[in-house]
Structures are given as structure tokens and as C-alpha cells.
Amino acid sequence: MGAGRRALDDAAVALDAGRGLLLHAATSTGAVPDRLRAAGHAPLAAAWEAAAASARPATGPHTEPDRPTGVPSALRHKVFDALGAADLPGAHLLDPPNREETGRALRALGRDALVHLVPAAPGSIGHALVVTSRGETHLVPLPRLDADADVLRAYADATGAPTDARDLGPAGPVRPDTRTLLDRLCHWAWYAGTGPLLDAFAPAGRVPRLVLAPAGRLGLVPWHAAWREGAGGRRYALEDAEFSYTASARLLCETAGRAAGPDTGAGLIVGDPTGDLPYAGQEADAVRRAFYPRARYLGRSTLREPDGTGTPAELLAWLRDPAGEAGGVLHLACHATVSAARDRTAQLLLRDGSLSAEELTDAVAAVPGRLGLVLLAACRSHVSGRGHDEAFSLATAFLVAGARSVVGSLWPVPDEATSVLMYLIHHHLRVDHMPPARALRQAQLWMLGAAPALPPGLPPELAARAARVDRRDPRNWAAFTHLGH
């Protein structure tokens, strides 16, 4: 192996080691002190708690925090030495895979390449570090890939305030110019990253399937919605490729090894538990009636008596039920919020309470194999309250804890359009038997106008809603991303 190839391999491992450390920090901080005390290391436990408590949080989900924002690496290494890394919760996240292991995972997932998007640093341009399904590494120069690009900063500044609203009506801007800013961002994204990637790695004869791992502020960008002007008008990257996302290569490899559960139609659907999302409730009702008649239902329903009102205790009880069927579907049509608090960074808002990403991680991990697919039909469910580079969101919380696939969102989503999109995803999953990434892509293709026909049997209220969706507005579909299998 030449020196250049070794350097690329080392760079890929180093990138993933950093991402793994950040994910580990997000998932393990609360559990580590207890294990230290049990092992007789009370001073280390106190130091860990003090560091976690005094770390200055990011001021919001779209702010690049100054380091340190958590337990310092020197202290973390002392803890590793005291306990042994294997005894730490989430220790698997600390072991970056080599290119051969990543290649095997990509083949198992049916993906062509893992793409680390690395922005420009002082004295260097941005680049994509690519590991292919053949276990090869490549470097693609991306001169425009700059996390400080004006268009990206403007978008981050305009959309940075935390929110708990899945919008209550037709598509409306979070800020008056959000649509314009998103259009500009996605146009920049084509030339900064997606276009050169597709030129370099598109396999002949079929749609390429790429997994993206964007670093830092680049995680705000819906790369699948990057666009260019073509002969027939605007053309989105989604029309030319299938995209998934991951927080790290190790998490990708972990997910690839998770077996599919039996397709029994079992699951849990949560619809409008707070009573102020009427379209979300109708969406959940329609999804259960058409595709999951055996599923339990929490929240508000106009079709039949629900199994509960949608409290945090009810959701936790379902997740922790050891007698529950493996590989179930969890559909959450509710509010979500993102905050900079270090102990509860992202939360689902339910009836009479909330559940944080950290609490959900513990509950899902309690029953391995419980979740096959999680659909987070809630706003900013794939945005981290710990700063972008930590990549710990509601979506990654479910994936880290053991779910096989997750669909989450990057910004507050319009309730009306989201209800249509979610129904289409479930149709492609259950009727067309598509895997989750393909089902999401197919639903988004209809939303942007590239797939003209709606499926037969669409409930009248959803059909009427679909007719009102502005298919030229990417806010109606581009927020949703796929992670996992």
C-alpha cells in the first residue's frame, strides 16, 4: 500500500474516532459516575460530574460551540484506564472501523459509499473522504465546501431558535425569508458537494446509493435537496441518487449487523397526544387503519378508542415491554423540541410530559431488537442540542440504542404536507415493500413533483391535502432524512 493510500485510511479512522468520542460522550455521561463509584474510583466520579456540570453548553442547535463542551479528553482517558473501555456504556462507539469493515457494512446495506463531508480548514480546502463498498478510499476535493460560507451562515442564523412546534397548518416560514434562504442553501450545496460527488462516484446503469456523514455545521444542510438548473428546470440531487445519513462509520457498521424482525405489522403509533396537531392525528389514524391495524395507538383518534392518551410513561412501558414483538414500527406524530441543556438536549413532547433523547436511549436499549423502524414525524428530530458536530439527536438516540432504521427531520415541518408525506412513506413500505431509504425517496419524489401519481386508496382528507401542497417548496419534503438500514 502506498503512503498516500495509508494516509487516506488513517484520515478515515481519525475522523470516525472523533465522531465516536462525541457520540459516546452524549450517550454515556450520566452512567459513567455510577460505574466509577462501584469500582472504587469516587474521586474520578466526582471529577467527571463536575466537568459535565460546568461545561458551557452551546447557545443553540445552530451555534458552533467553543470547545470544551463536555468531559475533557484527558479526564475521559483516565476513566477509560480505570474502568477499561469495554466496561463503559456505549463503548462500541469508540472503535472506528477500518476501510474493509466499512466496505462490508456498505455491501450489507446495499450502499455504494460512505462519504465524510469535511469543510475547509485554515490553509486547506474542503473535501469528501469516501470509503466505497469495495473497501477503497478516495479523496474528492471540494473547493467550495466551507462551513463559514455566507449562505450557510445566513441560513443557520435565520433558523437557529429552538422550537417545539410541528407547524399547525399549511407550509409557512419559520422566518419570513426561510424559503429563499433554503433555496439558496440547496443551490450552493449542489456545487459545494453533491454535484462533484455524483460526477465522481455515480455507478453506471442505476441510481447511486450514498451514505453521508457531514461534519460540523454541514449537518444542517439537506444534501439530498441540493439542486441545479437543467434543461427541464430545477433538478434535485434526490432525483439522481438515494441518500442516507449517519453519525459515524462505526454506527453504520453496527446498524448493518442488525437483523430484520418478522414483518407482522406490529408496532406503536402515537398521534397528536397534546391535542393541538389535528393533521398529525388524522395522519396517525390513517396510517394505522391502512397499514398497521394490529398496532397499539396512543393519543387522540377519531376512528376508535385509543389504547392510551400518549403519556411518557405509556411510551416507555411499550418500549421496555420484554414480551413485545421484535422489529416493530414506531410512528411518532407529535411535537418535538431542541434545547442546549446538557441533560435533556432534544425531547418528544407528549401528554402531560416529555421524554428526552437520553431517556429514550436507555429505554430502547433495555429490549434489544424491539424496534425495526422509527418514523419521527416531528420537527427537528434529527437536530442536536449539543452543537451540530455531536450529532446526538432524537433520531440518532434511537439508532444508537438499537433501532434498525430511523427517519427524522432537520427543521420545523408543516403539519399538512408532513401528513401526506408520512402516509406515502408507509404505503411504499407496506404495499410496495421498499426498504425505508427507498420508501422515503419515493415519497419525496412525489412531493417535489417528479412522481406524478398518488397511490390508490389515499383517504379523501389526505387526497384533498395533497392537492394543496406546494410541490415547488422544498420545506414541504426536504427536512426528512434516513438513517440506518
Side-chain angles (χ1 to χ4, degrees):
M1 181 189 299
R5 183 66 63 199
R6 282 196 299 272
L8 286 181
D9 293 347
D10 291 345
V13 169
L15 276 172
D16 209 62
R19 299 290 278 180
L21 187 62
L22 291 166
L23 272 176
H24 179 268
T27 56
S28 68
T29 297
V32 168
D34 292 339
R35 296 200 178 199
L36 285 168
R37 288 192 176 92
H41 300 288
L44 270 180
W48 183 285
E49 289 173 332
S54 65
R56 183 172 61 84
T59 58
H62 299 320
T63 301
E64 288 289 353
D66 297 329
R67 298 298 182 194
T69 58
V71 177
S73 59
L75 177 56
R76 192 173 296 276
H77 285 295
K78 289 182 182 179
V79 171
F80 294 169
D81 292 339
L83 290 181
D87 292 331
L88 287 171
H92 58 286
L93 298 171
L94 295 167
D95 180 22
N98 59 31
R99 58 188 174 89
E100 289 84 4
E101 186 179 357
T102 301
R104 288 194 295 272
L106 289 165
R107 292 193 296 273
L109 293 167
R111 310 281 196 267
D112 296 309
L114 168 64
V115 181
H116 293 276
L117 291 173
V118 183
S124 67
I125 64 170
H127 59 271
L129 182 57
V130 181
V131 183
T132 72
S133 58
R134 296 186 295 273
E136 301 168 346
T137 51
H138 302 274
L139 193 68
V140 180
L142 299 173
R144 300 189 187 186
L145 192 64
D146 186 350
D148 288 323
D150 290 344
V151 65
L152 181 50
R153 277 197 170 276
Y155 177 79
D157 290 344
T159 60
T163 181
D164 61 1
R166 173 177 155 172
D167 298 346
L168 299 183
V174 183
R175 299 287 188 274
D177 58 352
T178 299
R179 179 173 175 178
T180 298
L181 289 171
L182 182 61
D183 272 340
R184 291 174 181 169
L185 177 69
C186 292
H187 194 42
W188 167 83
W190 177 267
Y191 296 100
T194 310
L197 277 174
L198 293 182
D199 288 342
F201 290 100
R206 67 168 175 82
V207 169
R209 303 185 183 103
L210 304 178
V211 183
L212 304 184
R217 191 179 284 112
L218 300 181
L220 295 175
V221 180
W223 296 96
H224 54 286
W227 62 273
R228 69 194 187 283
E229 289 290 352
R234 182 178 296 193
R235 186 169 183 85
Y236 289 96
L238 182 72
E239 299 178 69
D240 298 319
E242 180 181 296
F243 293 90
S244 293
Y245 294 79
T246 188
S248 72
R250 170 51 61 200
L251 188 56
L252 181 81
C253 294
E254 291 280 324
T255 306
R258 294 171 188 168
D263 185 9
T264 64
L268 176 68
I269 296 172
V270 180
D272 188 22
T274 52
D276 55 358
L277 292 173
Y279 292 135
Q282 293 170 17
E283 159 202 320
D285 267 339
V287 164
R288 178 176 64 166
R289 178 175 56 189
F291 308 115
Y292 305 99
R294 295 185 58 240
R296 288 176 56 80
Y297 188 100
L298 302 176
R300 295 171 185 262
S301 173
T302 60
L303 297 181
R304 71 182 194 194
E305 188 69 21
D307 299 299
T309 59
T311 65
E314 290 169 337
L315 177 53
L316 288 176
W318 185 84
L319 289 171
R320 292 170 173 162
D321 182 3
E325 296 184 52
V329 171
L330 175 60
H331 179 104
L332 293 161
C334 59
H335 287 300
T337 187
V338 177
S339 74
R342 294 203 64 81
D343 58 340
R344 293 173 65 85
T345 58
Q347 301 171 60
L348 291 174
L349 304 185
L350 301 167
R351 179 68 178 267
D352 299 329
S354 63
L355 284 176
S356 69
E358 293 79 3
E359 290 170 312
L360 289 164
T361 300
D362 292 341
V364 175
V367 186
R370 182 78 168 96
L371 290 177
L373 171 64
V374 179
L375 286 106
L376 292 161
C379 25
R380 289 193 176 136
S381 50
H382 188 36
V383 172
S384 173
R386 298 174 183 266
H388 338 301
D389 205 42
E390 298 211 19
F392 187 68
S393 62
L394 286 166
T396 51
F398 279 106
L399 206 63
V400 166
R404 198 165 184 261
S405 298
V406 183
V407 172
S409 65
L410 293 171
W411 59 76
V413 291
D415 196 24
E416 187 171 64
T418 298
S419 63
V420 177
L421 178 69
M422 287 294 137
Y423 186 93
L424 293 176
I425 293 171
H426 284 289
H427 172 86
H428 295 309
L429 285 167
R430 300 289 293 164
V431 177
D432 298 329
H433 304 291
M434 293 182 181
R438 199 170 308 162
L440 172 61
R441 176 177 181 262
Q442 193 62 35
Q444 289 177 321
L445 286 173
W446 183 87
M447 297 292 288
L448 63 86
L454 283 168
L458 190 70
E461 65 274 14
L462 285 178
R465 214 167 292 159
R468 296 193 296 268
V469 170
D470 183 355
R471 299 170 80 177
R472 299 166 299 175
D473 188 346
R475 293 173 303 169
N476 287 331
W477 58 269
F480 286 97
T481 60
H482 169 266
L483 301 88
H485 226 289

